[in-house]
Amino acid sequence: MTLDEELLAAARRAGTASAAAQDKADVAKAVYHHAVLRLHRAGGSMREIADALKMSHQRVHQIVEQSKRVERCWFCARAADQVGKLMAGPAALICDLCVASAEVGEVGDCSFCGETKPVHHGAEARICRKCLDFSAAVITEATVSEAASPR
């Protein structure tokens, strides 16, 4: 039996739309976590933040504790206070400076998504073009969000 070409095309379009929506949701989640961290760093207690955002105190605690591991870029070794932003992946961190200047080349395993594809090699990690683009989007959105928020 052969597949119906129209249904196959519709399924491919739906898959592409789903992937784009997931990417957008992932960026929004990263920006949300960054905003929660900014509230905490500005002096908000975890309980106050949890109550105001209608989330559990434990979830705020997880977000804050996760950020404490953010120390330095795994690509250039710059400390967090030496760069504008650090983007955390599941197994590596990359700064805004490296995101802007990274060039993908040799094939390797991406430290962010785990896929084998052309990657940028850093001192301790590798990152593919898709994850670089995602990191750039998160950094841009976080910067725009910070600029728009009242001080």
Side-chain angles (χ1 to χ4, degrees):
M1 179 176 162
T2 60
L3 295 175
D4 182 307
E5 289 300 320
E6 285 183 39
L7 292 175
L8 184 58
R12 286 182 176 141
R13 285 190 303 273
T16 299
S18 175
Q22 184 63 52
D23 286 346
K24 189 173 181 178
D26 290 343
V27 168
K29 181 179 179 182
V31 170
Y32 178 60
H33 285 193
H34 182 73
V36 169
L37 287 171
R38 288 185 66 221
L39 283 168
H40 185 260
R41 289 179 184 146
S45 74
M46 290 186 209
R47 289 215 184 275
E48 289 173 318
I49 295 166
D51 289 344
L53 296 176
K54 297 184 180 2
M55 62 193 302
S56 74
H57 168 262
Q58 290 83 2
R59 184 65 188 125
V60 175
H61 184 75
Q62 287 174 338
I63 293 168
V64 169
E65 287 302 310
Q66 183 180 24
S67 76
K68 289 182 180 176
R69 289 179 284 218
V70 177
E71 298 174 22
R72 62 181 172 78
C73 177
W74 288 31
F75 292 82
C76 68
R78 288 184 188 102
D81 61 356
Q82 296 175 314
V83 299
K85 299 266 185 254
L86 272 173
M87 174 66 191
L93 304 166
I94 190 166
C95 71
D96 54 343
L97 302 172
C98 287
V99 168
S101 65
E103 298 284 334
V104 297
E106 295 178 28
V107 173
D109 294 333
C110 178
S111 301
F112 285 72
C113 67
E115 295 181 22
T116 302
K117 51 176 75 169
V119 293
H120 170 73
H121 289 268
E124 300 177 53
R126 294 167 302 284
I127 188 167
C128 69
R129 172 55 49 200
K130 181 179 175 186
C131 292
L132 278 167
D133 292 344
F134 175 75
S135 297
V138 170
I139 288 167
T140 299
E141 286 295 319
T143 301
V144 169
S145 174
E146 286 176 16
S149 67
R151 305 249 177 225

